[in-house]
Amino acid sequence: MGLMGETLTEILIPVSAIIGIVFALVQWYLVSKVRVSSESFGANNGYSERLIEDEEESIDSDGVVIKCAEIQNAISVGATSFLFTEYKYLSIFVVVFGAIIFLFLGSVKGFSTQSEPCTYNKANLCKPALANAIFTTVAFLLGAVTSVLSGFLGMKIATYANARTTLEARKGVGKAFITAFRSGAVMGFLLAANGLLVLYISIYLFGLYYGDDWEGLYESITGYGLGGSSMALFGRVGGGIYTKAADVGADLVGKVERNIPEDDPRNPAVIADNVGDNVGDIAGMGSDLFGSYAESSCAALFVASISSIGINHDFSAMAYPLIISSMGIVVCLITTLFATDIFEIKNVTEIEPTLKRQLLISTILMTVGIAIVSFVALPSEFTLFNFGTEKLVKNWYLFICVSIGLWAGLVIGYITEYYTSNAYSPVQDVADSCRTGAATNVIFGLALGYKSVIIPIFAIAIAIYVSFSLAAMYGIAVAALGMLSTIATGLAIDAYGPISDNAGGIAEMAGMSHKIRERTDALDAAGNTTAAIGKGFAIGSAALVSLALFGAFVSRAGIESVDVLTPKVFIGLIVGAMLPYWFSAMTMKSVGSAALKMVEEVRRQFNTIPGIMEGTTKPDYATCVKISTDASLKEMIPPGALVMLTPLIAGTFFGVETLAGVLAGSLVSGVQVAISASNTGGAWDNAKKYIEAGASDHARTLGPKGSDPHKAAVIGDTIGDPLKDTSGPSLNILIKLMAVESLVFAPFFATHGGLLFKWL
């Protein structure tokens, strides 16, 4: 036994989750103190005049606030109605897929209600396969609901905070930063705490039925990860198509053809574009990271349940993955205070360093936290399941496994930042290449993306080698958890991006002064980089999670070893490696065709509605919102079906060995494609921002807005949009989702799979 007793474990996990939720609500309350209604501006405009730095801002204070409130409302209504429509479709999918899980898993032993000898520990009796089918289905539904909730709450907070950030920008950049960052923190903490709490309660309730049968209990819990990720896939793809169709349409007609600024209220696609930031980057990202988190916890719990920890029923050691997450919430809480309360931002140049510091502080504090947890929760030595043999492990081995995952995450974050931030030479070189037109910009951008893959892959490789050598598959699962343990801070940094992006859009639409727009632009440029860092994290953790799930699948399916030289495995490998390309082709084409419709609509409005360019008549925003909505709901189905059906088809017709090949292949190629796509897109976006801001002599030689190099940069940015916000981030879900789905259906594939090879 570790030093922590069972009772203490049972108290600590829910308590830290509740602390996380309370902290999120406190941050929400602090954000809500910024008023966005006209009534509150009484005798002295709600706060004393001297707080507003610009004289001309204070003259029309009321009018601006009313305008901001109107725009915020439009964005919020658009985002909510889109998500409701999307969730209506998804609820049908959940019911159908839940039924599939039940039928497939129930049929393993012909729906019998007899107790079975356990899979790994034959001497003991385990609950019937039918119970597994029922409980896995329930876990799947719980995961799906939690995932949807994570995304929806995130979107609600973001649309609540965007106008508040704009209004705070009148008092200076520091105030605006704190508002945007706090709102991001609300989302981060709610998600981390909810994910942990729901998982913990599910384990507790399932345990009431399963009792001592931990093997069956944690096998059925894997459904939680599957539910979380399948929702994330549709959220990410649907949201990604929505946001990019609007963005590409707005940019191509507005900025390139009509020469009006980004987020100009005369642009018909502008509301759709700002709604898109919330449904794609916020709701999609929230579900995505929740999925990673749920899966890595499930993978670690499953592997532990078939090891000596599970067989000896050592609860505090079994709950090790959950205790790490609890520690993560506490660490992130302290880290957040550094950004909002301890250091004050006074200047635009301090924004990015503050956000980077968040990552570093949380990583250092978390390393200490992991050390404490590892020595308190785990026995000093125990054995872990290692493909049929038992591996002897000491508790400090696991400290190293979790820490190396954590630090690999930091390395990936920093490298991503180096390649996508316009403070460093890679992006400046891309911006420089715009002198000679769009073609050279595209060439440089692609090269940058491919190059940015090198170091992250080495970081992942080292993490995998070390953690596997020390603690077999369990080591990899907890390394993934380590990378995600600071998820609350990671998400806060990530959600901060789209919130500041929206804030800038609102400032432009409400016609606020140039000075305000400069401040929101500075917040937004930093947000672009942090969004890229968030994607880097999501992809890195997906690689580790997927590998851990792959190991769990191989154990569960009873495969002795996966041999690349057998034709069954090799065909799987090569087909698996092709899947990310097929998937990217689908998502890119969807964005392209939706953007085409959007461009035509925006052109139609500019040409046929008189007075739009003069600003005398309002453009028809609703039609553009409808185009994005319809396109994304229709187009998210084929890529989703590809990911969900591949494991079912491969496992049922070709058997577990081929499926193992498919998983390995998709993991290996998916990670590369995902990293290069999201970094290329991020670099192009910031190269454009670099030219627009004109902060250095070099940037001023390329600008101003509307110059030829700037137009070339806009084209690069437009190409990069679907790469960085649709294909790239959805690929990490493809990798994880196929692995977790294979693990859930492993009992079925092991019993009934491989029909084709049986017939031949």
Side-chain angles (χ1 to χ4, degrees), residues 131-420:
N132 264 11
I134 294 168
F135 280 103
T136 306
T137 311
V138 172
F140 167 75
L141 296 175
L142 280 171
V145 170
T146 314
S147 181
V148 160
L149 199 66
S150 306
F152 188 73
L153 283 174
M155 183 280 301
K156 271 295 185 215
I157 293 148
T159 50
Y160 183 78
N162 51 19
R164 290 177 161 77
T165 306
T166 313
L167 293 172
E168 286 291 274
R170 297 183 305 180
K171 307 182 200 170
V173 76
K175 290 270 189 281
F177 171 81
I178 287 181
T179 304
F181 188 79
R182 279 213 163 111
S183 326
V186 176
M187 174 179 183
F189 282 95
L190 276 182
L191 189 137
N194 275 338
L196 179 64
L197 198 59
V198 176
L199 182 59
Y200 179 75
I201 293 171
S202 320
I203 291 173
Y204 181 76
L205 295 176
F206 284 19
L208 297 178
Y209 169 80
Y210 276 103
D212 278 348
D213 172 16
W214 281 19
E215 196 181 288
L217 166 61
Y218 290 103
E219 189 176 300
S220 58
I221 284 288
T222 50
Y224 184 69
L226 176 61
S229 254
S230 55
M231 291 299 100
L233 174 75
F234 290 109
R236 207 47 157 140
V237 174
I241 293 168
Y242 185 105
T243 173
K244 289 306 123 180
D247 198 353
V248 172
D251 284 359
L252 283 181
V253 184
K255 289 204 299 212
V256 180
E257 292 177 11
R258 297 278 168 167
N259 250 339
I260 58 177
E262 188 162 2
D263 295 318
D264 190 298
R266 293 171 294 182
N267 193 330
V270 69
I271 295 280
D273 183 7
N274 279 299
V275 169
D277 291 333
N278 293 301
V279 294
D281 296 350
I282 298 250
M285 190 66 177
S287 297
D288 179 1
L289 279 175
F290 165 75
S292 278
Y293 166 75
E295 282 162 344
S296 55
S297 306
C298 292
L301 290 167
F302 176 74
V303 178
S305 73
I306 57 180
S307 305
S308 67
I309 304 175
I311 292 163
N312 303 337
H313 291 84
D314 178 353
F315 186 74
S316 64
M318 188 69 214
Y320 180 65
L322 302 178
I323 303 171
I324 290 177
S325 308
S326 314
M327 185 53 117
I329 291 176
V330 177
V331 164
C332 290
L333 197 148
I334 299 165
T335 312
T336 304
L337 297 177
F338 275 100
T340 54
D341 299 287
I342 298 173
F343 301 118
E344 175 106 32
I345 288 190
K346 299 203 169 48
N347 192 348
V348 170
T349 50
E350 295 170 21
I351 301 171
E352 240 179 75
T354 304
L355 291 166
K356 270 171 68 182
R357 206 181 305 128
Q358 284 283 298
L359 280 180
L360 190 63
I361 295 171
S362 63
T363 304
I364 293 170
L365 290 176
M366 191 62 204
T367 310
V368 180
I370 295 166
I372 298 169
V373 169
S374 303
F375 293 110
V376 171
L378 294 169
S380 54
E381 59 174 33
F382 51 97
T383 61
L384 284 172
F385 183 84
N386 181 18
F387 299 121
T389 56
E390 292 290 325
K391 186 179 178 73
L392 190 69
V393 179
K394 296 184 166 46
N395 56 9
W396 60 268
Y397 288 6
L398 287 186
F399 161 66
I400 292 176
C401 293
V402 183
S403 306
I404 200 162
L406 180 67
W407 285 90
L410 186 74
V411 169
I412 292 174
Y414 274 16
I415 292 298
T416 308
E417 197 240 2
Y418 172 71
Y419 279 106
T420 55

Side-chain angles (χ1 to χ4, degrees), residues 683-697:
W684 274 328
D685 195 343
N686 273 346
K688 175 204 68 176
K689 288 255 191 329
Y690 174 74
I691 294 176
E692 286 177 352
S696 66
D697 292 338

